[in-house]
Amino acid sequence: MRRTHLSSPIERASPNDVVTLATDRGPAPMNIGAVLIIDAASDLDFSTVKSILEGRLPRVPRLRQRLLKMPLGCGRPIWVDQADFDLGRHLSQTVLPSSPGASVDPDEASDQRVLEIAADLVCTPLPRHQPLWAARWVTDLAHDRAALILVMHHSMTDGVAGLAVLAALGDDGTIPVIDPFPQPPPPLRSVAAAAWRDRAAALTTIPSRLRRGREGLRELGIRARRPKLAARTSLNRPTGPRRRLTTVELPLMPLLEVAHRRRCTLNDLVLVAVTGTLAAILRLRGEEPSELVVSVPISARRAATTDQLGNQTGVVPLAIPTLSHQDARLHRITAMSHSRTGVTRGMSAGPMGLVFRAMGALGIFQVFIDHQRLVHTFVTNVRGPQTPVHFAGHPITTVIPLAITPGNVGVCFDILSYAGGLVVTVVADLAIVPEQDLLTSVLAEELAQLLAVNRAF
């Protein structure tokens, strides 16, 4: 909603945002983010980057807003301008050593260090009394590159909306009509009156909300019978406050060609590779579950703008047999995908939100997710821009996605397609997945095998 000079609109946190905030009580925060690798960036010093971002912040009003709790009866929290906003509280820099040593490849060393910095930033809780984001400018990477690491709380944005933030901060971002900053918060009486109007209006939408609730249960795969518990594995133990990041990068077009030939989606292929990888690692540990349950977050929208941020995400759990052959796994995955045709995307957020918010109020949410036996891992796949975004005249060559999953999921996978490439980020708790490098290598082999089969056609 665009603000005007005459009044301050009431911008409430959505029900999903409130659930995310209420349940963010674990050792690792519910943050998401991205690492933007920028080419030929030696002329971009920190003061220049800070000045550019300062000038582009008005394109994303939420970056200068904080959540304000409301008194009883006044409804959900509202977003208000942070009157004393200071970019210096959110943006910092790290200068990497330019010579890691003769025995260390400079490219590999700098890439690993950037991922370590990103992992540290995304695992750091964001102060609730400030706008819920942070950024780090990292320089002196190999080959004259730099990295801008952006981290936001999941209540502020989901993956689809995060792409809107990326586009707005780029050189081609839309320049909006800029209102005076800061805008004063709306009067409390107006907030209370709006809350009661919303409650009255909600009574007229009960039938549609019940219908959406049924669609949400269908998206979750819940029927009349009791849900089947997932097999116990050593990958599912309560996670700690830190994560390690590793990546697999490959060209996008060959994978799309495979998907076209197999009459499936790119996400289906990723699920084939992920389940094959986890099954292989578990076999090395002496475990052989007959199936793995993968939770796939589904956004209720295909795209977003900077005035439509927030979290609009549901999930689809898929119980995938740990069959040894990729073709067999792909057949089962595509069959499950087709069985959900016609289900409205993201509707599961409604029933999940009701349950999770109740657990949060009772103080049992963390106990539940630390011991849940509904899913083994999460696979998040977001489609990014097909052409490179530029920052200060320099192309952003790679975008590495980041997302922290709480509870007892020891490893999850974040996937982003961008400018002809695909990046799979492996996010793991090193205490639970000490063989993360091996896991990442197996994942790369699984994906390479899919491409090899395509070349054989």
Side-chain angles (χ1 to χ4, degrees), residues 164-213:
V165 175
L166 167 61
L169 296 181
D171 293 349
D172 298 325
T174 303
I175 301 176
V177 176
I178 301 175
D179 297 316
F181 179 87
Q183 291 281 303
L188 191 59
R189 63 179 179 276
S190 299
V191 178
W196 285 106
R197 286 196 300 272
D198 291 343
R199 294 185 184 103
L203 294 175
T204 67
T205 63
I206 289 177
S208 63
R209 286 189 289 130
L210 289 174
R211 184 173 62 253
R212 290 196 299 270

Side-chain angles (χ1 to χ4, degrees), residues 86-320:
D86 180 1
L87 181 57
R89 298 191 188 118
H90 302 268
L91 177 65
S92 57
Q93 74 165 327
T94 297
V95 179
L96 297 178
S98 56
S99 300
S103 62
V104 180
D105 181 271
D107 292 0
E108 183 178 347
S110 63
D111 291 347
Q112 289 178 354
R113 184 66 184 118
V114 168
L115 291 178
E116 290 171 1
I117 295 168
D120 181 68
L121 192 62
V122 79
C123 289
T124 300
L126 296 163
R128 293 289 178 92
H129 64 283
Q130 295 285 339
L132 295 171
W133 69 280
R136 182 78 56 84
W137 178 249
V138 184
T139 56
D140 283 352
L141 275 67
H143 295 313
D144 192 25
R145 296 173 300 159
L148 180 61
I149 305 170
L150 292 172
V151 169
M152 294 171 280
H153 195 272
H154 211 339
S155 64
M156 182 176 173
T157 181
D158 57 19
V160 173
L163 292 175
V165 175
L166 167 61
L169 296 181
D171 293 349
D172 298 325
T174 303
I175 301 176
V177 176
I178 301 175
D179 297 316
F181 179 87
Q183 291 281 303
L188 191 59
R189 63 179 179 276
S190 299
V191 178
W196 285 106
R197 286 196 300 272
D198 291 343
R199 294 185 184 103
L203 294 175
T204 67
T205 63
I206 289 177
S208 63
R209 286 189 289 130
L210 289 174
R211 184 173 62 253
R212 290 196 299 270
R214 288 194 297 269
E215 291 181 0
L217 293 175
R218 183 183 171 194
E219 186 174 65
L220 287 168
I222 295 176
R223 301 291 188 266
R225 64 183 184 276
R226 177 182 175 182
K228 179 182 176 181
L229 294 180
R232 297 184 186 274
T233 80
S234 57
L235 292 174
N236 298 107
R237 293 184 282 132
T239 53
R242 315 309 303 168
R243 298 292 188 273
R244 182 169 177 250
L245 310 176
T246 50
T247 61
V248 176
E249 300 182 29
L250 63 163
L252 177 62
M253 188 54 64
L255 277 173
L256 292 178
E257 291 173 356
V258 175
H260 177 72
R261 288 180 182 273
R262 300 295 187 87
R263 294 185 174 89
C264 66
T265 67
L266 176 63
N267 200 58
D268 292 338
L269 295 178
V270 171
L271 291 172
V272 169
V274 165
T275 51
T277 297
L278 294 183
I281 293 300
L282 288 171
R283 281 195 297 271
L284 291 174
R285 294 183 175 195
E287 303 171 45
E288 295 194 13
S290 60
E291 63 182 20
L292 293 171
V293 183
V294 181
S295 182
V296 181
I298 300 292
S299 178
R301 51 193 173 177
R302 301 282 185 177
T305 60
T306 55
D307 60 352
Q308 298 172 330
L309 300 184
N311 184 0
Q312 297 185 26
T313 304
V315 297
V316 174
L318 300 174
I320 303 172

